[in-house]
Amino acid sequence: MTLKLFNSLTRQIETFQPVHEGEARVYTCGPTVYNYPHIGNMRAYVFADVLGRTLSWKGYDLTHIINITDVGHLTDDGDAGEDKMEKMAAEKAQSIWDIAAHYTQAFKDDVQALNIRQPAKWSVATDYIADMIAFVQAMPEKHLYEIDSGLYFDTSTVADYGRLARAVTEEGEGRIETVEGKRNAADFAIWRKTPAGEKRQMEWDSPWGKGAPGWHLECSVMGEKLLGFPFDIHTGGIDHREIHHPNEIAQNQAFCGCGSLDEATHSGSRIWMHNNFLIERSGKMSKSSGEFLRLQLLIDKGYHPLAYRMMCLQAHYRSELEFSWDGLEAALTRLKRIVMGVEKLSLGELLPKQEPAATGLLLSQELANHRKFAPVLETFEAAMADDLNTAVALTALEDILSMKKVDAALKGEAVTYMDTVLGLDLLNITRQDLRIRPKTATITEAEIEDALTRRKAARADKDFATSDALRDELAAKGVEVMDGDPIGWEWKLS
Ligand code: AMP
Ligand code: ZN
């Protein structure tokens, strides 16, 4: 089944055809490490991970790069404002390098918690300053001009500037800020000069004076350097479709020295893909709000991080997804059911441990031709090949788990196969792992289990007075006993 993906540049579903036979080279815009990522940011990496896993599963040798932006991203994407890193460092009275190290680690912790695979490389922007200067020097001069604040890119010098963004503008979301001295409103800084008499924490010598690179330049350079132009797929959140990626494309066109925007090659990447936003109505996603939605906040409230991954998978990546605690609870319940179904198979005894997402994982002949399994596996494959329809793929996984009178080992093989793509860590995770104590809980798990054991004994003895008393005691401590819970959960902290 050929893999079909939506290309934001052509606004069409296209068949994936690798630039280099048998390979897939993917670049994902990484986080700006001035603060903790919010869970919306992490949706972008869950999406990129599912894409990467799907490419591996389809047998492509994947090289996935995710960068770390530790310089150059301004408070306004359009080129105005301060460097986010400098601003946070000043606010916290810490060095930028310490800020970057702390939030890079926090991001990587979230990556691991969400079972997002490590990329081939985390490329750190400040490691590529010399390459950035060389990249700019390779551009014909007509594309560039200097003003007091820095070296700028003249967007009128490339054909079809903003083609990628046009889709957004048509939807009425276009937004471009102006900076004094720019020739065109959309022009952007390639190199931001340090103002005379000032010293920035992060600055480098360049042919255009001391300063720092522009954010868009960083991604063009790391993509070209690490993957070569053109590579296969460039990903990011949908906001990047508006300014960051059109500017990257303009630079790539200039670097290639081409007059036209040949989408397949001169934009730098053959396909551009964008995940839609996770939204939250009351503003808890904004990093300027006191308690914004970090993955750790979800965990503190008793939700396993994979419940959030599940929530992402339930929606198509191109659809807006609204966050709610009820929605997260429902995703957790769904994950619990799946995990219980997998536990019942006792895969540890049945299957040799498989590396998740091994390249080109093949199904056994028995499974591929099986009267009951084959149609469901086909549904799964068709869903993933149809622009990563994880929502349908999840229901196929559940269909497999609910099959009756089939061999458990075959079921296990099918689940393993599917989870290489979905990445819910189903071979390792247990029911116990999913039951996380909220940070505010005043009762330990051992105490709960002890009370439940005594309650079970009382009920067995038909001593309902004791049983009810124990139930009330637990309720007073915020533990709800769930008799006859269909997913066998027994208790939850309320
Ligand atoms: P940043 O650290 O701001 O550069 O953002 C990291 C990634 O998160 C980028 O790909 C953004 O496009 C993406 N992003 C930002 N906000 C959201 C959101 N609410 N939902 C999904 N993706 C987002
Ligand atoms: Zn980028």
Side-chain angles (χ1 to χ4, degrees):
M1 228 170 283
T2 51
L3 178 59
K4 300 218 156 107
L5 301 170
F6 183 82
N7 185 353
S8 301
L9 195 52
T10 57
R11 276 164 264 160
Q12 274 171 3
I13 298 267
E14 293 176 9
T15 299
F16 177 71
Q17 281 171 326
V19 175
H20 303 272
E21 174 124 16
E23 278 191 55
R25 302 186 186 183
V26 180
Y27 184 93
T28 294
C29 283
T32 308
V33 286
Y34 72 106
N35 203 338
Y36 294 106
H38 56 51
I39 56 172
N41 297 132
M42 296 316 293
R43 184 182 188 199
Y45 305 104
V46 169
F47 152 64
D49 182 52
V50 170
L51 172 66
R53 283 170 179 271
T54 304
L55 290 162
S56 297
W57 166 73
K58 282 277 171 195
Y60 297 106
D61 184 5
L62 174 72
T63 307
H64 191 180
I65 303 294
I66 305 181
N67 77 282
I68 302 289
T69 300
D70 57 352
V71 66
H73 192 170
L74 305 191
T75 46
D76 183 289
D77 282 4
D79 233 24
E82 298 168 72
D83 185 305
K84 290 186 182 190
M85 300 292 300
E86 294 261 355
K87 185 166 177 258
M88 185 54 111
E91 266 169 42
K92 296 217 159 183
Q94 280 179 21
S95 97
I96 292 195
W97 303 99
D98 289 347
I99 297 266
H102 178 76
Y103 293 116
T104 300
Q105 189 53 50
F107 169 69
K108 288 182 180 173
D109 290 347
D110 284 2
V111 160
Q112 194 180 358
L114 290 167
N115 203 30
I116 292 168
R117 293 193 304 172
Q118 295 277 331
K121 190 175 177 67
W122 299 109
S123 60
V124 179
T126 49
D127 290 343
Y128 292 83
I129 302 291
D131 299 302
M132 292 177 204
I133 292 171
F135 187 99
V136 178
Q137 287 176 321
M139 287 183 195
E141 277 184 12
K142 67 171 182 188
H143 298 293
L144 307 166
Y145 60 95
E146 257 185 271
I147 53 178
D148 285 352
S149 59
L151 182 69
Y152 276 72
F153 189 96
D154 184 339
T155 51
S156 69
T157 59
V158 289
D160 279 328
Y161 173 74
R163 177 179 293 183
L164 186 66
R166 227 165 27 222
V168 183
T169 313
E170 278 162 12
E171 287 159 21
E173 293 173 30
R175 175 185 59 92
I176 288 167
E177 292 279 326
T178 50
V179 164
E180 199 156 327
K182 290 204 296 193
R183 290 183 189 162
N184 312 288
D187 292 357
F188 56 89
I190 287 257
W191 188 264
R192 293 173 304 115
K193 289 188 214 170
T194 304
E198 272 184 36
K199 183 155 176 47
R200 285 190 183 136
Q201 275 200 49
M202 276 184 173
E203 56 181 15
W204 295 265
D205 287 324
S206 83
W208 319 285
K210 248 194 206 341
W215 173 42
H216 320 301
L217 179 64
E218 300 170 7
C219 285
S220 278
V221 170
M222 289 184 276
E224 194 277 330
K225 184 87 191 160
L226 298 167
L227 298 175
F229 284 162
F231 50 86
D232 294 295
I233 306 176
H234 195 311
T235 85
I238 199 161
D239 53 330
H240 288 352
R241 212 172 59 168
E242 199 178 338
I243 296 174
H244 182 46
H245 289 170
N247 290 353
E248 267 189 58
I249 290 173
Q251 293 168 150
N252 299 350
Q253 278 173 273
F255 178 79
C256 295
C258 37
S260 70
L261 172 55
D262 169 350
E263 285 158 352
T265 50
H266 305 317
S267 73
S269 172
R270 277 208 174 155
I271 298 182
W272 293 75
M273 293 178 76
H274 298 96
N275 63 278
N276 210 324
F277 263 31
L278 179 80
I279 53 163
E280 201 272 335
R281 303 264 173 217
S282 67
K284 281 273 192 301
M285 198 82 81
S286 157
K287 291 185 188 178
S288 52
S289 77
E291 190 190 50
F292 69 88
L293 284 170
R294 278 177 60 192
L295 194 63
Q296 188 58 48
L297 180 70
L298 273 47
I299 299 167
D300 288 348
K301 288 191 188 284
Y303 293 96
H304 194 281
L306 289 174
Y308 176 63
R309 185 178 176 106
M310 174 61 119
M311 193 175 188
C312 292
L313 297 181
Q314 289 181 151
H316 192 270
Y317 76 88
R318 283 199 285 129
S319 307
E320 206 170 66
L321 173 61
E322 183 167 355
F323 177 82
S324 70
W325 292 104
D326 285 349
L328 186 63
E329 182 81 42
L332 177 63
T333 302
R334 191 170 180 196
L335 180 60
K336 283 174 186 170
R337 279 182 203 271
I338 292 174
V339 166
M340 282 184 62
V342 178
E343 269 183 1
K344 272 195 213 134
L345 301 174
S346 309
L347 294 184
E349 294 144 41
L350 290 169
L351 285 175
K353 195 111 185 141
Q354 296 212 28
E355 256 304 294
T359 293
L361 193 73
L362 293 176
L363 283 177
S364 67
Q365 279 304 309
E366 192 181 356
L367 199 57
N369 297 324
H370 195 283
R371 184 177 58 84
K372 285 188 177 166
F373 283 108
V376 187
L377 288 165
E378 224 167 84
T379 304
F380 176 85
E381 292 192 18
M384 290 312 298
D386 178 17
D387 196 28
L388 314 177
N389 195 338
T390 48
V392 171
L394 272 174
T395 59
L397 170 69
E398 288 166 325
D399 287 347
I400 294 276
L401 284 169
S402 60
M403 278 182 184
K404 304 268 182 299
K405 297 193 185 130
V406 288
D407 183 71
L410 281 181
K411 235 189 203 188
E413 191 192 330
V415 169
T416 308
Y417 181 74
M418 292 169 153
D419 200 41
T420 59
V421 185
L422 297 171
L424 288 168
D425 203 19
L426 297 176
L427 297 197
N428 297 310
I429 198 138
T430 65
R431 239 159 42 104
Q432 284 309 318
D433 295 332
L434 287 176
R435 189 154 59 189
I436 292 182
R437 283 180 74 242
K439 211 174 164 187
T440 50
T442 55
I443 183 164
T444 68
E445 218 161 286
E447 285 166 343
I448 300 172
E449 294 298 343
D450 176 58
L452 284 181
T453 309
R454 283 188 287 132
R455 182 164 176 270
K456 262 187 200 140
R459 278 160 68 98
D461 290 345
K462 301 218 171 353
D463 177 2
F464 295 113
T466 305
S467 145
D468 288 349
L470 281 163
R471 183 192 188 99
D472 294 345
E473 219 173 90
L474 284 166
K477 290 181 177 155
V479 179
E480 186 187 333
V481 181
M482 301 155 81
D483 284 328
D485 176 26
I487 56 169
W489 209 243
E490 293 177 0
W491 59 264
K492 72 172 187 183
L493 286 152
S494 48

